[in-house]
């Protein structure tokens, strides 16, 4: 297995694995929604790749994609919780079924973690599925405990 960081030449692969991830989560995507997502993903990856977005690709010896992990980097004014002002959201961790239980996701995530350290991020966060939770814990991710704050969001669409 070989791990490498995605490049602009991997644009079609990044799009495909994004939709493969949606399918793995059993998300229903209508043709209209697919078009809307594609309209955002192409320019997003083109503009952000290797600046505030990175993707690790794990390939078998024949160059066939086995696993991926994405990292979206955000920068905001620093505070005691993120003293560098930079944080990361891990997304789209996906290993194709025929490659599971071979350490592929671990390789992709270790590459993402190393890159996050190199870029001086204060922390990484993610939303873990039940299947992924043991892997994330093995890599040092911890369940975030109760907070004095209430997580909230305002949906604009």
């Amino acid at each position: 297995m070989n791990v490498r960081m995605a490049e602009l030449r991997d644009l079609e692969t990044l799009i495909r694995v994004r939709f493969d991830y949606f399918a793995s989560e059993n998300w229903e995507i209508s043709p209209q929604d697919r078009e809307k997502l594609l309209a955002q993903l192409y320019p997003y990856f083109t503009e952000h790749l290797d600046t505030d977005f990175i993707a690790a690709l794990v390939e078998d010896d024949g160059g066939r994609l086995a696993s991926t992990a994405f990292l979206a980097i955000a920068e905001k004014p620093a505070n005691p919780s993120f003293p560098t002002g930079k944080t990361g959201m891990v997304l789209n961790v996906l290993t194709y079924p025929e490659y599971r239980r071979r350490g592929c996701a671990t390789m992709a995530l270790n590459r993402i973690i190393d890159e996050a350290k190199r870029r001086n991020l204060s922390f990484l966060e993610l939303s873990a599925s039940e299947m992924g939770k043991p892997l994330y814990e093995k890599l040092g991710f911890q369940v975030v405990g109760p907070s004095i704050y209430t997580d909230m969001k305002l949906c604009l669409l």
Side-chain angles (χ1 to χ4, degrees):
M1 295 290 175
N2 176 48
V3 184
R4 66 179 180 85
M5 300 309 288
E7 301 171 2
L8 200 51
R9 67 183 169 96
D10 298 306
L11 180 62
E12 293 296 329
T13 298
L14 294 173
I15 301 284
R16 179 174 49 86
V17 298
R18 189 70 175 137
F19 283 98
D20 289 350
Y21 177 82
F22 298 156
S24 77
E25 293 292 323
N26 297 313
W27 294 350
E28 296 289 330
I29 309 286
S30 71
Q32 297 84 0
D33 286 343
R34 182 178 178 82
E35 289 306 312
K36 289 177 189 174
L37 293 172
L38 286 170
Q40 191 274 345
L41 289 171
Y42 277 102
Y44 177 84
F45 288 140
T46 301
E47 182 181 336
H48 295 272
L49 186 61
D50 206 29
T51 56
D52 58 358
F53 171 83
I54 59 174
L57 306 176
V58 179
E59 299 168 328
D60 67 15
D61 293 337
R64 189 163 175 237
L65 188 64
S67 188
T68 65
F70 291 178
L71 177 64
I73 300 167
E75 188 167 11
K76 49 200 166 239
N79 77 23
S81 297
F82 42 90
T84 66
K86 295 189 285 186
T87 64
M89 173 65 74
V90 176
L91 306 162
N92 219 104
V93 178
L94 173 71
T95 300
Y96 290 99
E98 62 270 29
Y99 294 101
R100 291 189 181 145
R101 301 282 180 219
R102 295 189 194 180
C104 296
T106 300
M107 291 189 308
L109 286 164
N110 278 331
R111 187 67 180 266
I112 291 289
I113 292 166
D114 289 345
E115 186 65 19
K117 288 176 181 176
R118 189 183 75 72
R119 292 177 183 233
N120 203 28
L121 274 62
S122 294
F123 64 79
L124 299 177
E125 58 188 334
L126 54 77
S127 296
S129 67
E130 283 303 311
M131 183 172 30
K133 188 177 174 188
L135 168 62
Y136 303 133
E137 289 175 331
K138 182 179 87 171
L139 292 172
F141 286 84
Q142 299 173 344
V143 175
V144 178
S147 172
I148 61 170
Y149 302 102
T150 302
D151 289 332
M152 301 175 74
K153 72 178 176 181
L154 172 64
C155 292
L156 301 174
L157 294 178

